[in-house]
């Protein structure tokens, strides 16, 4: 007998028919003799609907009250799924995040899990119940409801798997596993049998939407084996674990991220500490900076270019405007019409020419590269958003066209 944590996304429970499909997957695992804990997201477009309802009342609602509202979507999902399992004749109980012992920081909208007390879940498992837990939510030290941000249900599932020392954490989604590119848009995308934590973390961070990057970080830290698979098609998925590059592929995938904005600050005096002064202002607002490019000194001035998440652009501009206004000749501009295209693969560590092959493909397709960032297992470029889809297809074909 194994203890399995299963997570189902919003598309998997978007209707009554789909809820019963999920209930059948869960009860099949239970009938095989496993203890089963399930983490569920809000149904379909429920999150967008809740945001719409909030905007009808107050477009400037506090983050605390938005968390109270947003957490209600998962409460609906767990109740409906538990009802379906009851109807199938199996013992089940549903728990909200706080009932499942999920404690978080107090950062509304993007809280971090601080600890999980699995006592209540274990009591329910001892009763031979299937346990359904509301993902994406927890409780702060001040006993306020909090939400974990984008992809938070993945984080909930992996965190609970760690707390329970689960044998396996299965992430059910609307695709059959992890692919070399998004199979909904790239027809020759190939499903991977296995991928390392590091590769999956890079892909998730760089825009691949199949797994939340925080969930992969937790899985890697605690060595939790993940399986990404489809809730619609009964086929093996992709295993995420600490493995060598099992398929001996040069790269494992191509990712696109449209949630990117480029900020340019020109005419900065070439004085000691200028970089610290700029980026400390962003750090103070918890704004992550990604790709950074600085120019050579021209006269006594230099320019710097960097990217942030587009949804934090207004905060970044606000944080930097006063600084730039205080410096004669400095100018801040930004561009939201950009995207980040990345290749990821452990094979880069032992093969030369990977970046050159990517750049050649983009050059041949007449796609201009605005910025470049690299690490041991990734190469990322910033391109115009209007060229992003073509860039993904071009780069993917360059590396995968010869794969059967």
């Amino acid at each position: 007998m194994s203890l399995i944590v299963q997570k189902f996304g919003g598309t998997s429970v978007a209707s009554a028919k789909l809820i019963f499909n999920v209930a059948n997957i869960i009860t099949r695992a239970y009938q095989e003799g496993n203890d089963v804990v399930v983490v569920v997201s809000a149904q379909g477009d429920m999150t967008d609907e809740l945001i719409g309802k909030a905007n009808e009342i107050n477009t400037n609602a506090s983050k605390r009250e938005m968390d109270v509202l947003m957490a209600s979507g998962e409460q609906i999902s767990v109740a409906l799924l538990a009802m379906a399992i009851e109807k199938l004749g199996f013992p089940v109980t549903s728990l909200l995040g706080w009932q499942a012992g999920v404690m978080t920081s107090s950062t509304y909208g993007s809280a971090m899990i601080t600890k999980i007390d699995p006592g209540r879940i274990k009591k329910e498992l001892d009763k031979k119940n299937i346990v359904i837990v509301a993902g994406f939510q927890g409780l702060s030290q001040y006993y306020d409801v909090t939400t974990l941000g984008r992809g938070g249900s993945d984080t909930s599932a992996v965190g609970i798997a760690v707390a329970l020392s689960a044998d396996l954490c299965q992430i059910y989604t609307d695709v059959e596993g992890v692919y070399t590119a998004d199979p909904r848009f790239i027809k020759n995308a190939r499903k991977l049998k296995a991928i390392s934590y590091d590769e999956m973390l890079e892909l998730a961070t760089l825009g691949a939407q199949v797994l939340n990057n925080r969930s992969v970080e937790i899985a890697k830290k605690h060595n939790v084996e993940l399986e990404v698979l489809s809730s619609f098609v009964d086929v093996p998925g992709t295993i995420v674990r600490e493995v060598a590059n099992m398929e001996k592929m040069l790269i494992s995938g191509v990712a696109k991220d449209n949630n990117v904005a480029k900020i340019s600050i020109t005419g900065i005096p070439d004085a000691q500490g200028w970089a610290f002064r700029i980026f400390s202002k962003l750090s103070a607002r918890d704004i992550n900076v990604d790709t950074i490019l600085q120019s050579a000194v021209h006269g006594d001035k230099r320019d710097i270019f960097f990217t942030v998440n587009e949804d934090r652009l207004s905060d970044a501009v606000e944080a930097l405007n006063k600084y730039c206004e205080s410096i004669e000749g400095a100018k801040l501009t930004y561009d939201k019409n950009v995207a980040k295209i990345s290749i990821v693969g452990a094979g880069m560590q032992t093969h030369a020419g990977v970046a050159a092959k990517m750049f050649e493909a983009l050059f041949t397709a007449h796609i201009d590269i605005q910025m470049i960032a690299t690490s041991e297992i990734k190469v990322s470029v910033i391109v115009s958003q209007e060229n992003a889809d073509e860039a993904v297809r071009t780069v993917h074909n360059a590396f995968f066209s010869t794969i059967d």
Side-chain angles (χ1 to χ4, degrees):
M1 181 179 74
S2 298
L3 198 167
I4 300 174
V5 175
Q6 299 178 326
K7 178 262 175 178
F8 293 90
T11 55
S12 298
V13 292
S15 67
K17 180 180 179 180
L18 292 174
I19 287 173
F20 275 104
N21 176 62
V22 167
N24 283 322
I25 294 172
I26 295 166
T27 54
R28 184 164 62 245
Y30 180 82
Q31 285 179 299
E32 290 171 354
N34 301 301
D35 287 334
V36 183
V37 178
V38 180
V39 176
V40 190
S41 300
Q43 289 182 284
D45 297 324
M46 175 68 72
T47 299
D48 291 337
E49 292 175 12
L50 291 172
I51 293 172
K53 289 180 183 295
N55 289 337
E56 289 176 2
I57 304 298
N58 182 357
T59 57
N60 195 33
S62 68
K63 290 184 177 180
R64 180 190 184 278
E65 299 309 327
M66 285 300 295
D67 271 13
V68 173
L69 177 65
M70 301 308 290
S72 67
E74 279 69 26
Q75 182 168 346
I76 292 171
S77 293
V78 295
L80 292 175
L81 182 55
M83 292 175 189
I85 292 172
E86 280 180 339
K87 189 169 183 178
L88 295 177
F90 294 87
V92 62
T93 190
S94 65
L95 301 175
L96 302 183
W98 67 269
Q99 292 174 303
V102 180
M103 303 300 295
T104 75
S105 66
S106 299
T107 307
Y108 302 114
S110 58
M112 304 288 287
I113 295 175
T114 56
K115 69 174 182 178
I116 298 178
D117 178 358
R120 176 68 186 277
I121 296 177
K122 289 181 177 180
K123 287 180 181 178
E124 298 298 336
L125 291 174
D126 288 342
K127 298 175 186 176
K128 300 303 179 183
N129 285 333
I130 296 169
V131 183
I132 314 295
V133 179
F136 179 64
Q137 60 179 250
L139 200 69
S140 76
Q141 61 178 320
Y142 304 110
Y143 299 99
D144 285 338
V145 172
T146 55
T147 65
L148 306 182
R150 183 182 303 179
S153 291
D154 288 352
T155 306
S156 299
V158 178
I160 288 171
V162 171
L164 293 170
S165 299
D167 298 289
L168 177 65
C169 183
Q170 296 178 311
I171 307 294
Y172 283 87
T173 182
D174 56 356
V175 293
E176 295 176 18
V178 180
Y179 283 74
T180 52
D182 191 331
R184 292 166 293 193
F185 304 107
I186 305 299
K187 292 183 179 180
N188 64 331
R190 177 189 179 192
K191 186 172 75 174
L192 304 173
K193 293 179 181 178
I195 188 170
S196 71
Y197 290 124
D198 286 339
E199 291 172 309
M200 189 67 249
L201 181 57
E202 289 284 9
L203 284 172
T205 302
L206 294 168
Q209 298 178 5
V210 68
L211 272 178
N212 171 266
N213 61 328
R214 284 164 60 188
S215 70
V216 183
E217 287 178 348
I218 296 171
K220 178 184 177 182
K221 180 179 179 180
H222 297 278
N223 199 29
V224 175
E225 185 170 303
L226 304 178
E227 182 181 14
V228 181
L229 65 172
S230 172
S231 56
F232 305 111
V233 183
D234 186 14
V235 295
T238 299
I239 297 295
V240 184
R241 62 188 176 200
E242 198 61 69
V243 293
N245 195 19
M246 292 179 63
E247 298 187 273
K248 296 183 172 61
M249 296 168 62
L250 189 60
I251 71 169
S252 295
V254 183
K256 177 185 73 171
D257 186 1
N258 285 329
N259 184 32
V260 177
K262 182 175 70 173
I263 294 177
S264 305
I265 304 178
T266 57
I268 306 168
D270 187 36
Q272 188 174 16
W274 63 268
F276 164 73
R277 284 189 284 273
I278 289 174
F279 294 112
S280 64
K281 295 181 185 304
L282 299 175
S283 176
R285 296 203 181 194
D286 198 28
I287 299 171
N288 290 325
V289 176
D290 189 27
T291 310
I292 302 174
L293 175 66
Q294 71 172 27
S295 71
V297 179
H298 46 92
D300 61 346
K301 306 283 187 180
R302 69 166 67 242
D303 306 326
I304 189 166
F305 313 89
F306 55 91
T307 60
V308 298
N309 286 348
E310 186 179 346
D311 52 20
R312 298 303 308 276
L313 175 62
S314 60
D315 293 333
V317 171
E318 182 181 342
L320 294 171
N321 261 335
K322 286 186 178 179
Y323 171 75
C324 293
E325 289 170 358
S326 69
I327 300 174
E328 184 178 355
K331 182 179 180 182
L332 184 151
T333 58
Y334 59 86
D335 183 3
K336 296 189 288 186
N337 185 35
V338 295
K340 179 165 58 179
I341 309 301
S342 306
I343 57 174
V344 173
M348 295 184 196
Q349 296 176 331
T350 54
H351 292 79
V354 177
K357 188 172 184 178
M358 178 185 191
F359 301 155
E360 181 186 14
L362 294 171
F363 170 76
T364 302
H366 306 291
I367 296 173
D368 183 47
I369 298 173
Q370 300 181 22
M371 301 173 72
I372 301 170
T374 64
S375 74
E376 286 186 338
I377 64 169
K378 79 164 184 184
V379 179
S380 296
V381 297
I382 302 299
V383 302
S384 171
Q385 196 168 102
E386 63 186 4
N387 291 325
D389 290 341
E390 179 60 26
V392 172
R393 283 191 289 269
T394 297
V395 172
H396 188 271
N397 286 338
F399 286 95
F400 294 102
S401 61
T402 60
I403 295 177
D404 294 332

